Amino acid sequence: MELERFIRDIPDFPKQGIVFKDITPLLADPRALSAAADQLAQPYASLGVAAVAGIESRGFIFGSLVAQRLGAGFVPIRKPGKLPYKTLRESYQLEYGTDAVEIHCDAVAKGQKVLLVDDLLATGGTMSAACKLVRKLGGQIVGVAFVIELCFLHGRDKLKDYPLHVLVQVASE
Ligand code: AMP
């Protein structure tokens, strides 16, 4: 199924100059949503994935669906201050300033096979930080998967250590 037609461009959101990729039309269509989850999970079907880590917040939606398909558990990776138990934090560089993500310190067991999922790969900073958290806990990363890649931002250069799987590639702005 062609998923491109379920992704809507919103110019100048959340700020001037950004073209926001709105996936709510895809979420609203049962067949497109199910196809996206199937396609995200497919390469990992026989790899023994124990946990799928999804990045707040749209990564939670796709990550949970993928976890169900793989018979795996789900691990939330969240913005700072949102997780209630003991956490590990990893900061990363933005164009202006820094941001950070957190994981519960007992979310992944040593040697556990983990797949990380987010809706969109832009500069790669968020996913790269998320991968560092999983590795700090001793998780074995079997892959990183996205619905959309903004190829012109070269985010995959930050994720060279991991097999990368993307459903929809956007070549130019
Ligand atoms: P980055 O760390 O630059 O790869 O940014 C990835 C994160 O920011 C993902 O969680 C995306 O949901 C969000 N994001 C970045 N750029 C966009 C965009 N143009 N449209 C929608 N979401 C975006």
Short mmCIF file of all heavy atoms in Angstrom, two decimals, residues 37-67:
data_model
loop_
_atom_site.label_atom_id
_atom_site.label_comp_id
_atom_site.label_asym_id
_atom_site.label_seq_id
_atom_site.Cartn_x
_atom_site.Cartn_y
_atom_site.Cartn_z
N ALA A 37 2.08 -0.54 10.23
CA ALA A 37 2.60 -1.36 11.33
C ALA A 37 3.16 -2.69 10.80
O ALA A 37 4.25 -3.12 11.23
CB ALA A 37 1.51 -1.62 12.36
N ASP A 38 2.45 -3.31 9.86
CA ASP A 38 2.95 -4.57 9.26
C ASP A 38 4.29 -4.35 8.59
O ASP A 38 5.23 -5.13 8.76
CB ASP A 38 1.96 -5.08 8.19
CG ASP A 38 0.69 -5.66 8.79
OD1 ASP A 38 0.66 -5.92 10.00
OD2 ASP A 38 -0.28 -5.84 8.01
N GLN A 39 4.37 -3.26 7.80
CA GLN A 39 5.61 -2.99 7.04
C GLN A 39 6.78 -2.64 7.96
O GLN A 39 7.92 -3.00 7.68
CB GLN A 39 5.38 -1.86 6.05
CG GLN A 39 4.48 -2.25 4.88
CD GLN A 39 4.17 -1.07 3.95
OE1 GLN A 39 4.99 -0.17 3.78
NE2 GLN A 39 2.99 -1.07 3.37
N LEU A 40 6.48 -1.94 9.06
CA LEU A 40 7.56 -1.61 10.02
C LEU A 40 8.09 -2.88 10.68
O LEU A 40 9.29 -3.03 10.89
CB LEU A 40 7.03 -0.66 11.10
CG LEU A 40 6.90 0.81 10.73
CD1 LEU A 40 6.15 1.56 11.84
CD2 LEU A 40 8.25 1.46 10.48
N ALA A 41 7.19 -3.80 11.00
CA ALA A 41 7.57 -5.00 11.76
C ALA A 41 8.22 -6.07 10.88
O ALA A 41 9.06 -6.85 11.36
CB ALA A 41 6.34 -5.59 12.45
N GLN A 42 7.85 -6.09 9.60
CA GLN A 42 8.18 -7.20 8.72
C GLN A 42 9.66 -7.65 8.73
O GLN A 42 9.94 -8.85 8.88
CB GLN A 42 7.69 -6.87 7.30
CG GLN A 42 7.77 -8.00 6.30
CD GLN A 42 9.11 -8.06 5.62
OE1 GLN A 42 9.74 -7.02 5.40
NE2 GLN A 42 9.57 -9.28 5.33
N PRO A 43 10.65 -6.74 8.62
CA PRO A 43 12.05 -7.21 8.56
C PRO A 43 12.53 -7.88 9.85
O PRO A 43 13.55 -8.55 9.86
CB PRO A 43 12.85 -5.92 8.34
CG PRO A 43 11.88 -4.89 7.93
CD PRO A 43 10.56 -5.28 8.51
N TYR A 44 11.79 -7.69 10.95
CA TYR A 44 12.25 -8.17 12.25
C TYR A 44 11.48 -9.40 12.74
O TYR A 44 11.69 -9.85 13.86
CB TYR A 44 12.12 -7.03 13.29
CG TYR A 44 12.71 -5.75 12.77
CD1 TYR A 44 11.90 -4.74 12.24
CD2 TYR A 44 14.08 -5.55 12.76
CE1 TYR A 44 12.44 -3.58 11.72
CE2 TYR A 44 14.64 -4.39 12.24
CZ TYR A 44 13.81 -3.41 11.72
OH TYR A 44 14.35 -2.27 11.20
N ALA A 45 10.63 -9.92 11.86
CA ALA A 45 9.68 -10.97 12.28
C ALA A 45 10.37 -12.17 12.91
O ALA A 45 9.85 -12.76 13.85
CB ALA A 45 8.83 -11.39 11.09
N SER A 46 11.54 -12.55 12.40
CA SER A 46 12.17 -13.78 12.91
C SER A 46 13.48 -13.49 13.65
O SER A 46 14.34 -14.36 13.74
CB SER A 46 12.41 -14.74 11.74
OG SER A 46 13.20 -14.09 10.78
N LEU A 47 13.62 -12.28 14.17
CA LEU A 47 14.90 -11.92 14.81
C LEU A 47 14.88 -12.01 16.33
O LEU A 47 15.85 -11.65 16.98
CB LEU A 47 15.32 -10.50 14.38
CG LEU A 47 15.60 -10.31 12.88
CD1 LEU A 47 16.15 -8.91 12.61
CD2 LEU A 47 16.58 -11.35 12.36
N GLY A 48 13.77 -12.45 16.89
CA GLY A 48 13.72 -12.63 18.35
C GLY A 48 13.73 -11.32 19.13
O GLY A 48 14.34 -11.24 20.20
N VAL A 49 13.06 -10.30 18.61
CA VAL A 49 13.00 -9.01 19.31
C VAL A 49 12.21 -9.18 20.61
O VAL A 49 11.08 -9.68 20.61
CB VAL A 49 12.31 -7.94 18.42
CG1 VAL A 49 12.06 -6.66 19.20
CG2 VAL A 49 13.15 -7.66 17.18
N ALA A 50 12.82 -8.78 21.73
CA ALA A 50 12.16 -8.92 23.03
C ALA A 50 11.42 -7.65 23.42
O ALA A 50 10.42 -7.70 24.14
CB ALA A 50 13.20 -9.25 24.10
N ALA A 51 11.95 -6.50 22.97
CA ALA A 51 11.32 -5.22 23.34
C ALA A 51 11.38 -4.24 22.18
O ALA A 51 12.38 -4.17 21.46
CB ALA A 51 12.04 -4.63 24.55
N VAL A 52 10.29 -3.51 22.01
CA VAL A 52 10.27 -2.41 21.04
C VAL A 52 10.25 -1.12 21.85
O VAL A 52 9.37 -0.93 22.71
CB VAL A 52 9.04 -2.49 20.12
CG1 VAL A 52 8.99 -1.28 19.20
CG2 VAL A 52 9.06 -3.78 19.31
N ALA A 53 11.23 -0.24 21.60
CA ALA A 53 11.28 1.04 22.29
C ALA A 53 10.74 2.11 21.35
O ALA A 53 11.22 2.26 20.22
CB ALA A 53 12.71 1.36 22.70
N GLY A 54 9.73 2.85 21.80
CA GLY A 54 9.13 3.90 21.00
C GLY A 54 9.43 5.25 21.62
O GLY A 54 9.48 5.40 22.84
N ILE A 55 9.67 6.25 20.76
CA ILE A 55 10.04 7.58 21.25
C ILE A 55 8.81 8.48 21.27
O ILE A 55 8.05 8.56 20.30
CB ILE A 55 11.15 8.18 20.36
CG1 ILE A 55 12.37 7.24 20.31
CG2 ILE A 55 11.55 9.56 20.87
CD1 ILE A 55 13.47 7.68 19.37
N GLU A 56 8.66 9.18 22.42
CA GLU A 56 7.52 10.07 22.62
C GLU A 56 7.40 11.07 21.47
O GLU A 56 8.40 11.66 21.08
CB GLU A 56 7.71 10.83 23.95
CG GLU A 56 6.55 11.70 24.32
CD GLU A 56 6.69 12.29 25.74
OE1 GLU A 56 7.69 12.00 26.44
OE2 GLU A 56 5.78 13.02 26.11
N SER A 57 6.21 11.36 21.01
CA SER A 57 4.98 10.67 21.35
C SER A 57 4.45 9.83 20.19
O SER A 57 3.81 8.80 20.41
CB SER A 57 3.91 11.68 21.77
OG SER A 57 3.71 12.63 20.70
N ARG A 58 4.76 10.22 18.97
CA ARG A 58 4.21 9.43 17.85
C ARG A 58 4.89 8.07 17.73
O ARG A 58 4.32 7.13 17.18
CB ARG A 58 4.28 10.24 16.55
CG ARG A 58 3.28 11.40 16.54
CD ARG A 58 3.40 12.23 15.28
NE ARG A 58 4.68 12.90 15.17
CZ ARG A 58 4.98 14.10 15.66
NH1 ARG A 58 4.06 14.78 16.30
NH2 ARG A 58 6.17 14.61 15.51
N GLY A 59 6.10 7.95 18.27
CA GLY A 59 6.76 6.66 18.30
C GLY A 59 6.05 5.67 19.21
O GLY A 59 6.21 4.45 19.06
N PHE A 60 5.26 6.18 20.17
CA PHE A 60 4.48 5.28 21.04
C PHE A 60 3.41 4.55 20.21
O PHE A 60 3.12 3.38 20.44
CB PHE A 60 3.75 6.07 22.13
CG PHE A 60 4.64 6.65 23.21
CD1 PHE A 60 4.08 7.38 24.24
CD2 PHE A 60 6.01 6.45 23.19
CE1 PHE A 60 4.88 7.91 25.24
CE2 PHE A 60 6.82 6.98 24.18
CZ PHE A 60 6.24 7.72 25.21
N ILE A 61 2.80 5.29 19.30
CA ILE A 61 1.68 4.73 18.51
C ILE A 61 2.20 3.59 17.65
O ILE A 61 1.70 2.46 17.71
CB ILE A 61 1.05 5.82 17.63
CG1 ILE A 61 0.54 6.98 18.49
CG2 ILE A 61 -0.07 5.22 16.78
CD1 ILE A 61 0.15 8.22 17.69
N PHE A 62 3.22 3.89 16.84
CA PHE A 62 3.74 2.87 15.92
C PHE A 62 4.50 1.79 16.68
O PHE A 62 4.40 0.61 16.35
CB PHE A 62 4.62 3.53 14.85
CG PHE A 62 3.85 4.44 13.96
CD1 PHE A 62 3.93 5.82 14.09
CD2 PHE A 62 2.99 3.92 12.99
CE1 PHE A 62 3.19 6.66 13.28
CE2 PHE A 62 2.25 4.76 12.17
CZ PHE A 62 2.34 6.14 12.31
N GLY A 63 5.24 2.18 17.70
CA GLY A 63 6.02 1.22 18.46
C GLY A 63 5.14 0.17 19.13
O GLY A 63 5.47 -1.02 19.12
N SER A 64 4.00 0.59 19.68
CA SER A 64 3.11 -0.38 20.34
C SER A 64 2.54 -1.37 19.34
O SER A 64 2.46 -2.57 19.62
CB SER A 64 1.92 0.31 21.01
OG SER A 64 2.32 1.42 21.72
N LEU A 65 2.15 -0.85 18.18
CA LEU A 65 1.58 -1.74 17.15
C LEU A 65 2.63 -2.74 16.67
O LEU A 65 2.33 -3.92 16.46
CB LEU A 65 1.05 -0.92 15.97
CG LEU A 65 -0.18 -0.05 16.27
CD1 LEU A 65 -0.48 0.88 15.10
CD2 LEU A 65 -1.39 -0.92 16.58
N VAL A 66 3.86 -2.27 16.51
CA VAL A 66 4.94 -3.15 16.06
C VAL A 66 5.24 -4.19 17.15
O VAL A 66 5.43 -5.38 16.86
CB VAL A 66 6.20 -2.33 15.70
CG1 VAL A 66 7.40 -3.24 15.46
CG2 VAL A 66 5.94 -1.46 14.47
N ALA A 67 5.25 -3.76 18.41
CA ALA A 67 5.51 -4.69 19.52
C ALA A 67 4.49 -5.83 19.51
O ALA A 67 4.84 -7.00 19.68
CB ALA A 67 5.47 -3.94 20.85
#
